[in-house]
Amino acid sequence: MVFDLHCDTILRIYTDNTQLKTNEYHISEEKMKKGNSLAQFFAMFVDMKSVDDPYITCNEMIDVFEREVEKSEVINKGTAPSDINAKYITGILTIEEGGVLKGKMENLIHFYERGVRSIVLTWNYENEIGYPNYNYTYKDKGLKPFGIEVVKKMNELGMIVDVSHLSDGGFYDCIKYSNKPIIASHSNARSVYDHPRNLTDEMILLLRDKGGVMGINFYSGFLDGSEVSKVSSIVEHIKYIRDLAGIDVIALGTDFDGIDCELEISNMSKMDLLKEALVEEGFTKEEIDKIFYKNALRVYKEVVLD
Ligand SMILES: [Zn+2]
């Protein structure tokens, strides 16, 4: 089974007016079924510089998500941990870009009430919450006062704080201020490939000590900087992180439909390719299950309220 912590498929469907059931994207109902999906974080990704009102756009995207899951016979919208079970695929609403809150706590509560259970605090721009690690311009900048309040409120509501894209300083502040595990939904190891979107060894160890997970991102630009996303590069990151911090910190955050490189694992139906490669590298079934869904599920149960 697969619990994937990040995809941008809803943006595609929203933009192209297409559907989740069948499509040309990395993720569709059919591909998820074939890939044995258990749960999928569907990120409402909003590019602040290309929309008039990010709050309105985010709500429109949630409308699209709901329309698609309502007509689906295989995907159910889930919020509580008990919603996640092997009888169907659970689609979970997340937001990628905390700027959609427009600096207002009431908007956080609004999105919680719509079913959002995790937020990537920044994308590649500075917002009311903090600063991005698009490059190292803001590396040491921490969370802003509103950002600290958002982290505390998310703890209280039972929403998972996601530090992918956030500045290193912001990461350390999330470790400091969150009283629940946090995640880096789609980030790799900086020691394997030196990119600001990846996490340093120190950050990975802190994330583990916090009980959190990092979702391995399939984008070649974060794996090894090449043109093609290779299974061997994904495995290299996984092995490095396991040797550094243990198996419990590793999850999957494919970034499907948010990445444009050529992929050996060309879509969600092909996840067995990774499983087979891990078996060949000597990973046990229990270790593979942890990477594929158990670690993500553990964090979800720990943070999100039933
Ligand atoms: Zn992203």
Side-chain angles (χ1 to χ4, degrees):
M1 289 192 290
V2 178
F3 190 148
D4 178 21
L5 292 173
H6 194 81
C7 77
D8 288 318
T9 313
I10 298 298
L11 176 67
R12 298 275 174 129
I13 293 168
Y14 172 77
T15 308
D16 305 343
N17 196 24
T18 45
Q19 48 169 343
L20 190 55
K21 191 177 172 64
T22 48
N23 58 46
E24 298 292 302
Y25 311 139
H26 297 142
I27 291 184
S28 66
E29 286 181 29
E30 287 168 348
K31 289 164 197 146
M32 292 172 90
K33 250 171 98 172
K34 255 179 134 177
N36 202 14
S37 281
L38 172 68
Q40 178 69 49
F41 275 14
F42 285 98
M44 307 298 113
F45 165 62
V46 178
D47 182 341
M48 298 287 282
K49 297 213 168 139
S50 70
V51 299
D52 292 332
D53 186 325
Y55 173 83
I56 290 173
T57 302
C58 189
N59 275 292
E60 286 172 357
M61 291 177 71
I62 294 175
D63 293 342
V64 166
F65 170 82
E66 294 194 323
R67 179 192 76 203
E68 293 305 304
V69 292
E70 256 162 45
K71 63 187 186 191
S72 171
E73 283 164 15
V74 292
I75 303 184
N76 281 6
K77 177 185 175 183
T79 51
S82 59
D83 292 335
I84 302 171
N85 66 63
K87 276 182 243 152
Y88 49 79
I89 300 163
T90 302
I92 296 163
L93 274 173
T94 70
I95 289 171
E96 181 171 35
E97 175 54 88
V100 303
L101 305 180
K102 302 207 288 187
K104 290 186 184 150
M105 202 56 81
E106 70 207 56
N107 290 341
L108 177 65
I109 293 160
H110 164 83
F111 285 119
Y112 176 81
E113 284 169 352
R114 289 211 69 180
V116 173
R117 289 298 177 266
S118 183
I119 299 177
V120 189
L121 299 183
T122 63
W123 188 58
N124 290 341
Y125 314 125
E126 177 186 347
N127 64 23
E128 292 84 356
I129 292 171
Y131 303 85
N133 247 15
Y134 178 68
N135 47 38
Y136 286 126
T137 310
Y138 304 112
K139 189 169 187 266
D140 299 318
K141 290 262 197 192
L143 291 176
K144 296 180 181 181
F146 179 68
I148 295 169
E149 290 312 306
V150 165
V151 167
K152 290 178 175 169
K153 193 69 184 173
M154 287 176 75
N155 283 166
E156 187 188 316
L157 292 167
M159 298 173 89
I160 301 172
V161 173
D162 187 342
V163 298
S164 281
H165 290 281
L166 193 61
S167 63
D168 288 8
F171 171 92
Y172 290 115
D173 273 348
C174 287
I175 292 285
K176 181 172 163 192
Y177 291 107
S178 177
N179 59 28
K180 302 258 181 72
I182 64 173
I183 64 170
S185 65
H186 56 307
S187 295
N188 299 334
R190 209 178 288 175
S191 287
V192 178
Y193 185 67
D194 190 7
H195 190 286
R197 279 282 287 100
N198 292 338
L199 306 182
T200 64
D201 290 358
E202 188 193 16
M203 292 158 91
I204 293 169
L205 291 168
L206 285 169
L207 187 67
R208 176 201 64 188
D209 293 344
K210 198 87 192 166
V213 290
M214 57 194 290
I216 301 296
N217 191 318
F218 288 6
Y219 180 49
S220 61
F222 304 149
L223 287 169
D224 56 19
S226 72
E227 301 286 304
V228 182
S229 168
K230 293 182 285 295
V231 180
S232 60
S233 294
I234 296 170
V235 172
E236 198 187 334
H237 279 268
I238 290 175
K239 278 168 70 177
Y240 180 83
I241 298 162
R242 178 196 60 184
D243 294 344
L244 171 74
I247 200 80
D248 291 344
V249 76
I250 312 170
L252 300 175
T254 59
D255 216 351
F256 274 150
D257 293 317
I259 54 181
D260 51 12
C261 59
E262 195 186 314
L263 294 141
E264 285 184 357
I265 301 174
S266 54
N267 61 60
M268 187 51 85
S269 74
K270 305 279 173 63
M271 295 298 277
D272 272 352
L273 289 174
L274 177 58
K275 200 169 277 184
E276 286 156 17
L278 290 170
V279 168
E280 227 160 87
E281 288 291 328
F283 282 76
T284 65
K285 182 181 184 301
E286 179 61 13
E287 285 178 316
I288 293 168
D289 284 349
K290 281 187 169 186
I291 295 166
F292 270 64
Y293 72 97
K294 282 186 175 169
N295 288 336
L297 192 57
R298 182 196 77 229
V299 173
Y300 201 82
K301 283 178 175 166
E302 215 158 303
V303 178
V304 179
L305 308 173
D306 237 326

